[in-house]
Amino acid sequence: MMKKHNLIIKKLATIFVVLITILSMAVVPPAQACSRLVYQGSSNGPITARSMDWLNDPGTDLWVFPKGMKRDGGTGCNSITWTSKYGSIITSSYDMGTVDGMNDQGLVANLLFLTATDYGKIEPGDKTLSIGGWGQYVLDNYATVNEAVTELQQEPFRIIPATVKDILSQNLGLDIPEDQSQLEFTLHLSLSDPSGDSAIFEYIDGKLQIHHAKEYQVLTNDPIFDQQLGLNTYWNQVGGGSFLPGTNNPSDRFVRASYYLAEMNNNWISELQKNRRNEIAAALGIIRNVSDPLGLSGFGVSTTVWRTVSDQTNLTYFFEFTKSPNVFWVEMSKLNLEEGAPVMKLENVDSLSLVGEVSGEFQEAEPFSWDLSSVLDD
C-alpha cells in the first residue's frame, strides 16, 4: 500500500511540474536563459561552452553515436534520409532531440530557444526534418562550419517543429489542454569548429538566415541575432566596461559573455591562460557567470539545469549537472565510433558518482527517436 501511495505521489508531482511548464509558456513568454560562447584565448584552439536552462530537468541523457548510422528525418513520407559520416557524443532532451554535442571532427552544435522562430510554410513535395534531428543531422554530415553553411544555405530540407503536445504527451502520456497543446518548441542553431569559425542559423518570418563569421562568438535567446549584434556597441558607449548589465535577461547575458570573452582573449591574459586546463576553467567560469541559480525558476523564468564545455582540439566533452558538485568528461579517443559499433548511453547524469573521465560508464542502448510522423498524421 505504501509503495502504491508513493507511486501516485510521484506521478502527481510529475504532472504538476509539467503543468507549471505549460502554464508558464501560455501566460508569459518563456524567459529561457540558455547561452553559448566560443572562447578563443590562445593557440591551443577554441573551446565552446553552453548552458541549458529550463523549468525542470528536460530528461537529460548523454549518447555516443558511431559512424555509418542510417537516419531519416522522422516526418513521414517526405523525410530526408542520410547515413552518418562522423561519430559524435551528444546530449538529448526528453528522448526526442539532440540539443548539444560534438562530432569526431571537433564540430560543435548547440540548439537554444528562440521565441521569434518561424520555420515557414511546408509546400507539397518539400523534404522535411524533425526539429529533434536538426542538430544531429549537422553533426552526422559536416566536418567544418564552412561546409555546413555551404550546404545548408541550399535548404535541402524544411524543419518541422515539435509542439508541447508532441513532446509532453508522448513522453509522459498526459492529455494536454487543446489551447496549449500547439505551443511550439522553437530553436535556433549555433555551430563552431576547431578553426574557431562560427555560424548562427535562424528561421525568421519563414526564411532561413545564416550569420557566418569567426567573431560571432556569443549567442543567447531573444532577440534575434541581428539585434543581438547591436548590443555590444550600445553597452560600449554607455558603460565602456565600467559596469555591466546584471539581470538574467538574454540581452544582458549576451553583453556579459561578450565582455568577458573579449577580456580573456587579449594578449596579456592569453599568455596566463595558455595551459589547457586553465582555459577550460576560464570558459566554464564565463558560462557559469551567465547562468541562473537553482531555485530561481518561476513563471517565465528558468534555472540552469546543466552546462557543457567542448574542447575542440583534444575532442573532450565536459558536462556539469548543476545539482551535482562534480564535473565529468568524456575523451572521444576512448570511444568506439567506427561503423558497426553499438550506440551507447549514459543515464543518471545527476549521479554523485560521476566524476572525472566516464567513457567506461556508458551502456549499450537503442537510440532515441525524433520521429514525429505519428503526430503529423493525426
Side-chain angles (χ1 to χ4, degrees):
M1 180 65 71
M2 180 61 69
K3 184 176 181 180
K4 182 177 180 180
H5 175 76
N6 289 339
L7 288 173
I8 293 173
I9 294 297
K10 184 176 181 180
K11 184 173 183 179
L12 288 174
T14 300
I15 293 172
F16 178 75
V17 170
V18 171
L19 290 177
I20 288 293
T21 301
I22 295 169
L23 287 171
S24 298
M25 295 176 71
V27 177
V28 183
Q32 306 309 330
C34 301
S35 304
R36 167 267 199 185
L37 59 91
V38 183
Y39 170 57
Q40 307 190 60
S42 80
S43 60
N44 292 328
I47 298 165
T48 297
R50 72 84 54 87
S51 61
M52 165 61 89
D53 296 51
W54 201 245
L55 290 168
N56 59 303
D57 177 12
T60 306
D61 295 305
L62 268 61
W63 296 80
V64 172
F65 294 132
K67 305 172 186 177
M69 293 186 67
K70 304 293 184 182
R71 306 279 205 179
D72 73 77
T75 54
C77 62
N78 285 337
S79 291
I80 60 169
T81 60
W82 72 94
T83 300
S84 60
K85 298 177 183 177
Y86 307 108
S88 59
I89 179 169
I90 68 97
T91 302
S92 68
S93 285
Y94 292 120
D95 276 345
M96 280 287 288
T98 295
V99 294
D100 191 84
M102 177 169 60
N103 70 17
D104 58 23
Q105 303 300 300
L107 182 71
V108 170
N110 322 102
L111 289 106
L112 284 68
F113 201 91
L114 176 64
T115 305
T117 298
D118 174 6
Y119 294 112
K121 183 180 179 182
I122 308 300
E123 300 293 344
D126 283 347
K127 292 294 185 180
T128 53
L129 171 66
S130 165
I131 182 63
W134 190 17
Q136 194 61 52
Y137 177 89
V138 172
L139 294 175
D140 284 353
N141 285 286
Y142 305 122
T144 67
V145 169
N146 190 64
E147 184 182 346
V149 168
T150 299
E151 294 196 19
L152 292 180
Q153 66 186 359
Q154 305 301 319
E155 298 197 62
F157 53 79
R158 303 301 301 272
I159 297 289
I160 301 294
T163 65
V164 168
K165 178 181 179 182
D166 300 335
I167 299 295
L168 300 182
S169 64
Q170 246 179 241
N171 285 276
L172 293 175
L174 299 177
D175 292 325
I176 308 301
E178 190 60 35
D179 62 338
Q180 297 158 10
S181 66
Q182 296 308 308
L183 291 168
E184 293 182 347
F185 288 86
T186 50
L187 308 170
H188 51 178
L189 167 70
S190 66
L191 299 180
S192 60
D193 68 25
S195 75
D197 200 6
S198 179
I200 312 298
F201 299 78
E202 297 180 336
Y203 286 84
I204 307 300
D205 296 325
K207 304 294 183 182
L208 174 62
Q209 297 184 8
I210 303 176
H211 306 270
H212 180 200
K214 191 171 184 177
E215 60 265 29
Y216 297 153
Q217 299 174 8
V218 178
L219 178 68
T220 56
N221 313 110
D222 303 301
I224 61 176
F225 193 67
D226 269 338
Q227 296 173 22
Q228 290 187 29
L229 292 175
L231 294 171
N232 286 330
T233 300
Y234 170 78
W235 275 100
N236 286 337
Q237 293 172 346
V238 174
S242 59
F243 66 92
L244 295 171
T247 76
N248 70 335
N249 181 283
S251 297
D252 287 4
R253 288 184 282 107
F254 183 91
V255 172
R256 290 204 306 282
S258 298
Y259 169 80
Y260 283 115
L261 278 178
E263 291 297 303
M264 296 302 295
N265 286 341
N266 75 48
N267 292 332
W268 182 73
I269 294 181
S270 293
E271 287 300 309
L272 296 180
Q273 300 297 331
K274 281 197 298 186
N275 179 285
R276 197 55 165 175
R277 180 176 179 180
N278 290 345
E279 292 171 346
I280 295 294
L284 186 56
I286 299 174
I287 202 66
R288 284 169 172 166
N289 182 276
V290 292
S291 297
D292 281 340
L294 181 68
L296 189 64
S297 292
F299 287 109
V301 180
S302 293
T303 193
T304 302
V305 180
W306 50 259
R307 289 177 280 260
T308 62
V309 177
S310 297
D311 180 347
Q312 293 161 267
T313 300
N314 298 305
L315 297 182
T316 303
Y317 190 70
F318 295 82
F319 189 93
E320 180 182 48
F321 193 81
T322 54
K323 289 184 181 180
S324 172
N326 306 327
V327 175
F328 62 84
W329 59 90
V330 180
E331 297 173 13
M332 295 185 74
S333 62
K334 296 183 178 180
L335 302 174
N336 184 358
L337 299 174
E338 295 304 312
E339 184 173 351
V343 171
M344 306 292 283
K345 179 182 183 181
L346 180 67
E347 297 180 310
N348 302 319
V349 296
D350 59 340
S351 171
L352 296 180
S353 66
L354 290 175
V355 61
E357 209 285 327
V358 298
S359 58
E361 298 296 323
F362 282 73
Q363 301 294 320
E364 188 171 342
E366 289 297 316
F368 65 86
S369 173
W370 50 69
D371 189 89
L372 295 173
S373 57
S374 61
V375 295
L376 293 175
D377 292 337
D378 289 347

